[in-house]
Amino acid sequence: MASSRAGERGTIKPKADFDAKQDAAALRKALEGLGTKEKVLIDILTSRSSSQRQLICAAYQEATGRTLLADIKGDTHGSFEALLVALITPPALFDCHEVMRAIKGLGTKEDILIEIFASRSNSQISALSEAYLQEREKKLTSDLKKEISGDFSKALLLLAEGKREEGTTVDQARAKEDAKALYNAGEKKWGTDEMKFIDILCKRSVPQLKQTRAALVEYASVSGKTLQESIQSEMSGRLESLLLAVVKCVSSVPAYFAELLYKSMKGCGTDEATLTRIMVTRSELDLQDIREEFGKLYQSSLRSAIKSDCSGNYEKTLLKICGGKD
């Protein structure tokens, strides 16, 4: 479910006159001098594309015999450190580490799993699975099976297999059939046929699901409920959260992330892990669109939300990633 043309709506673009060795030397100087020069780290790492940052990491290691990752971890701390680490980690590996974090220790962090698997394209999920296999020497799906259960597990595993139908052609007749099946499985039925919802929402292509949602309008006039409202009234718990996330991503991936960003900064305290994950993973895909949606939905800019919620070098780095004006 990635944006239609990757990179066009990102806030971070590849640097034109890029020189990995020069950047590596500047970072080395910033990290080795007396007191770390954070401004240099921020300026370089937020104005190079992810693949350019990988080349900088390689040049840094060649020049120093140390990894940039180890030096950043040794010289920075807290949410600022986590944000810089996220920036120098390849996207698939970063997703992989987030999934590992979600299933590690006591209790599974389902919200991370829901966000990642509801919003990523097949190719992103495939890259994540590959990274997971290399890191853990185990299959992602077999580790997930041990952590989750029930209908939530069935739905999440379907998404984690990365086998959602692809293609842009839409089958109108099938959309009507699916719409009828969803209506019959939910509103019309005493009790809910969860598997029907899971099958359709986790397997069909995004364009096909958009058409199904449109076809459901007919049934909404009978039941008085949209697909989203139907899921909210028929389901509960983690399955409800996952299927709602899928439907929101079908409707608009940027609006889905704008909502998550808002929630990460709303109320007391900030959910830095979510804020960092979204800002970094969307920075080269659709962060400009997310910024626009944020403004529309919450009548204030994403930049001002970051300014009022974060501070120090963490705030400065996020604002650089965010781009735009207030």
Side-chain angles (χ1 to χ4, degrees):
M1 296 191 194
S3 64
S4 51
R5 292 172 74 175
E8 280 187 11
R9 303 296 296 156
T11 53
I12 294 180
K13 313 277 183 195
K15 187 174 188 288
D17 49 344
F18 170 68
D19 184 334
K21 285 182 179 172
Q22 205 178 323
D23 284 345
L27 289 171
R28 179 182 188 173
K29 204 173 160 190
L31 287 160
E32 284 180 355
L34 272 174
T36 307
K37 293 174 183 62
E38 285 88 353
K39 188 182 184 308
V40 177
L41 303 184
I42 297 167
D43 286 350
I44 292 176
L45 296 177
T46 59
S47 58
R48 310 291 186 269
S49 69
S50 177
S51 50
Q52 288 177 335
R53 294 192 290 264
Q54 289 316 298
L55 295 171
I56 295 169
C57 288
Y60 189 93
Q61 192 164 354
E62 206 178 305
T64 64
R66 303 184 306 270
T67 65
L68 180 57
L69 177 68
D71 282 2
I72 282 175
K73 283 185 163 183
D75 273 47
T76 59
H77 60 272
S79 43
F80 176 51
E81 176 201 322
L83 183 50
L84 295 184
V85 166
L87 283 167
I88 63 168
T89 306
L93 187 59
F94 179 72
D95 273 353
C96 162
H97 288 164
E98 286 296 280
V99 169
M100 282 162 65
R101 190 167 66 81
I103 60 179
K104 200 175 101 182
L106 276 173
T108 307
K109 298 172 186 72
E110 283 98 357
D111 52 337
I112 299 176
L113 299 178
I114 289 169
E115 177 201 312
I116 289 176
F117 291 109
S119 67
R120 303 300 192 256
S121 65
N122 282 355
S123 58
Q124 286 172 316
I125 289 171
S126 161
L128 152 59
S129 301
E130 219 168 282
Y132 193 92
L133 190 60
Q134 284 186 324
E135 288 280 290
R136 300 269 301 131
E137 294 182 349
K138 284 180 193 162
K139 274 188 75 176
L140 167 64
T141 46
S142 57
D143 274 0
L144 284 172
K145 273 177 197 161
K146 293 175 203 158
E147 296 293 327
I148 52 180
S149 58
D151 289 332
F152 173 65
S153 171
K154 287 172 194 164
L156 193 89
L157 287 167
L158 267 182
L159 294 170
E161 278 165 10
K163 288 180 184 161
R164 181 183 282 287
E165 291 164 7
E166 287 184 323
T168 50
T169 49
V170 169
D171 182 336
Q172 306 277 1
R174 192 190 197 191
K176 282 189 173 166
E177 249 168 66
D178 282 350
K180 189 178 182 184
L182 287 171
Y183 173 68
N184 288 339
E187 293 301 326
K188 207 177 164 192
K189 197 168 180 267
W190 183 253
T192 311
D193 180 356
E194 281 90 356
M195 268 325 288
K196 187 54 76 180
F197 275 84
I198 291 167
D199 250 11
I200 293 170
L201 294 177
C202 299
K203 284 183 182 173
R204 303 286 187 263
S205 72
V206 175
Q208 186 67 33
L209 283 172
K210 281 187 195 288
Q211 192 57 46
T212 302
R213 217 175 51 131
L216 261 166
V217 171
E218 282 177 48
Y219 295 100
S221 62
V222 182
S223 67
K225 285 179 186 160
T226 63
L227 177 55
Q228 200 166 316
E229 288 163 342
S230 187
I231 290 168
Q232 283 168 318
S233 65
E234 299 290 327
M235 319 265 172
S236 62
R238 300 166 309 171
L239 179 65
E240 179 195 347
S241 301
L242 177 59
L243 295 184
L244 273 180
V246 168
V247 170
K248 284 175 183 178
C249 285
V250 166
S251 174
S252 164
V253 171
Y256 171 67
F257 281 115
E259 185 190 343
L260 290 185
L261 283 172
Y262 177 75
K263 284 179 178 167
S264 76
M265 294 182 275
K266 196 181 75 170
C268 261
T270 307
D271 176 358
E272 277 105 351
T274 297
L275 182 52
T276 294
R277 183 174 59 251
I278 296 172
M279 293 297 286
V280 172
T281 57
R282 307 316 292 185
S283 63
E284 287 180 68
L285 295 172
D286 52 6
L287 193 50
Q288 288 185 54
D289 294 331
I290 294 168
R291 222 170 48 202
E292 277 173 28
E293 289 296 333
F294 193 97
K296 276 188 232 166
L297 289 166
Y298 305 109
Q299 282 73 57
S300 77
S301 74
L302 177 55
R303 287 183 69 84
S304 60
I306 291 168
K307 280 179 185 173
S308 65
D309 234 66
C310 309
S311 60
N313 290 312
Y314 181 60
E315 178 202 337
K316 285 175 193 164
T317 315
L318 286 175
L319 289 173
K320 281 270 199 181
I321 296 168
C322 183
K325 295 181 176 73
D326 287 324

